[in-house]
Amino acid sequence: MNAVTRISDDDRYARCVQISKRVCWDIDNDVIRGRRFDVAQKFLPDGLALADVFTTLSADEKRFVSQIQGRTYANVFGLVERFINAKVLELSHEHWFGDQVALEALVRFSDEELKHQALFRRIDAMIGEVLPGGYSFDVDPNAVAHAVLGKSTWAVLALTLDIELFSQFHYRQSIDPDTGLSELFRDVFLYHWKEESQHAAIDELEWVRHDADLTGEQRDWAVDDFIELVAAIDGILQDQAGADAGYFAGTCGRAVDEAEACAIEDAFLKAYRWQYIHSGAQHPHFGRVLSSLITENQGLRIQAALAALQ
Ligand SMILES: [Fe+2]
Ligand SMILES: [Fe+2]
């Protein structure tokens, strides 16, 4: 980029504030609008739920799987946004007596993540009203946030950019012409994306800014931390895939033998790894920013760790 086209970091924070003010939405008035979920509709699009991977299930059963995954989607976002918000508030400290526009961008980011967590709690409860009992998401967001914030800021920002970018990919999936997709769930993707776009821009600014202060050795440790964080997320996804497969088998209305139960659990895990790890890690922009910060060897370590989660 030359001097004419280059947008300064100050301008980027200002642009995030400006767009954040323009797209700001309300949970009830804009997203939910008095609607309820309808179990005749899919909640997650096939491309996200990986409907094709559930080879033993009927079309109706695949729709039920998309609804279970929709509920887990709300819970996973509620979970990760707890630590994202805590990290954003921590980073805001570095702007208290500096660029007040950057500070405003982070304060708005935090405010939006609090609202998103409230939205996802509502979505979880609303889906609970229409699906059979027995679903569980047994992960404490505060305990996870404590563990995540024990890792280096570099690693947490890497994971956060990955998450904010995959939420944009999920929105794009939701606007594909997927027949039978819930309009209410489609709006959850739409409104979440409207604010996540600014978050991804801020993550990148903060990550690159923080990276500039690290020594090579500190960055090398941070790469290990990032790999450990991804593995920890994968552990949560493995547990939830087991819980959701068990819930499906117990409530789908027919007998599921052991071999099929294993296949269904594997399919849930494949879908969750796609949604929460690979769709972000494969995002071209994530790859560009990451590779601009790390060595070739560090990149190979990360690739090997991700490849193990297939
Ligand atoms: Fe969010
Ligand atoms: Fe966000």
Side-chain angles (χ1 to χ4, degrees):
M1 274 185 282
N2 61 38
V4 177
T5 56
R6 191 179 177 281
I7 303 170
S8 74
D9 286 357
D10 288 356
D11 289 343
R12 286 177 203 273
Y13 284 112
R15 197 171 148 73
C16 287
V17 170
Q18 193 184 45
I19 299 173
S20 162
K21 287 177 179 171
R22 195 174 69 224
V23 303
C24 182
W25 45 263
D26 178 81
I27 292 174
D28 280 295
N29 296 335
D30 298 307
V31 186
I32 297 178
R33 306 203 304 270
R35 293 176 289 180
R36 286 170 57 88
F37 283 110
D38 178 355
V39 289
Q41 298 172 324
K42 284 184 285 190
F43 294 175
L44 290 199
D46 291 347
L48 267 191
L50 297 193
D52 289 347
V53 176
F54 291 81
T55 52
T56 64
L57 305 191
S58 67
D60 285 352
E61 288 172 336
K62 287 181 182 182
R63 187 178 64 235
F64 182 34
V65 161
S66 86
Q67 294 161 354
I68 299 169
Q69 290 193 22
R71 191 169 183 184
T72 292
Y73 190 88
N75 283 310
V76 169
F77 267 93
L79 177 81
V80 298
E81 297 199 344
R82 186 68 54 90
F83 74 71
I84 291 172
N85 184 43
K87 179 53 76 178
V88 167
L89 287 172
E90 186 188 294
L91 288 167
S92 75
H93 187 192
E94 296 171 23
H95 298 286
W96 281 3
F97 308 115
D99 180 350
Q100 297 299 288
V101 176
L103 178 60
E104 185 179 358
L106 266 71
V107 168
R108 294 189 73 87
F109 183 158
S110 166
D111 185 49
E112 287 158 2
E113 294 296 35
L114 289 167
K115 179 177 67 180
H116 299 177
Q117 288 175 65
L119 168 67
F120 289 123
R121 284 194 295 272
R122 284 282 295 282
I123 297 300
D124 172 56
M126 288 171 67
I127 296 176
E129 288 170 8
V130 296
L131 290 190
Y135 172 89
S136 72
F137 185 84
D138 197 16
V139 195
D140 175 8
N142 291 327
V144 170
H146 271 293
V148 170
L149 296 178
K151 300 291 184 187
S152 70
T153 291
W154 191 98
V156 179
L157 284 171
L159 181 63
T160 303
L161 179 62
D162 172 87
I163 291 169
E164 318 258 36
L165 286 173
F166 73 54
S167 68
Q168 296 179 44
F169 168 81
H170 295 174
Y171 161 70
R172 285 199 302 277
Q173 284 279 315
S174 77
I175 55 174
D176 277 351
D178 192 339
T179 53
L181 190 65
S182 158
E183 286 301 319
L184 176 51
F185 220 106
R186 208 190 287 274
D187 278 343
V188 171
F189 287 116
L190 168 66
Y191 284 95
H192 195 216
W193 163 76
K194 284 181 184 223
E195 292 181 337
E196 289 301 312
S197 297
Q198 286 71 257
H199 297 183
I202 295 168
D203 295 333
E204 183 181 337
L205 285 164
E206 291 296 311
W207 190 20
V208 171
R209 187 178 63 81
H210 178 78
D211 178 84
D213 291 335
L214 294 192
T215 64
E217 194 179 28
Q218 286 170 325
R219 190 174 301 103
D220 207 49
W221 293 333
V223 167
D224 286 341
D225 271 359
F226 175 62
I227 290 169
E228 285 174 26
L229 282 176
V230 172
I233 295 285
D234 191 64
I236 292 170
L237 299 180
Q238 288 184 40
D239 289 348
Q240 195 58 32
D244 288 353
Y247 170 68
F248 173 85
T251 55
C252 70
R254 67 169 172 89
V256 174
D257 67 24
E258 207 177 315
E260 188 184 6
C262 285
I264 292 169
E265 182 172 340
D266 286 349
F268 267 104
L269 181 57
K270 205 170 175 46
Y272 291 160
R273 282 174 163 168
W274 171 238
Q275 287 161 31
Y276 305 111
I277 295 177
H278 299 302
S279 63
Q282 292 174 15
H283 195 290
H285 191 66
F286 181 73
R288 270 194 298 275
V289 182
L290 178 66
S291 58
S292 75
L293 303 179
I294 60 175
T295 65
E296 197 179 334
N297 178 274
Q298 288 162 344
L300 291 172
R301 270 158 52 204
I302 291 171
Q303 275 176 29
L306 290 169
L309 308 178
Q310 293 294 348

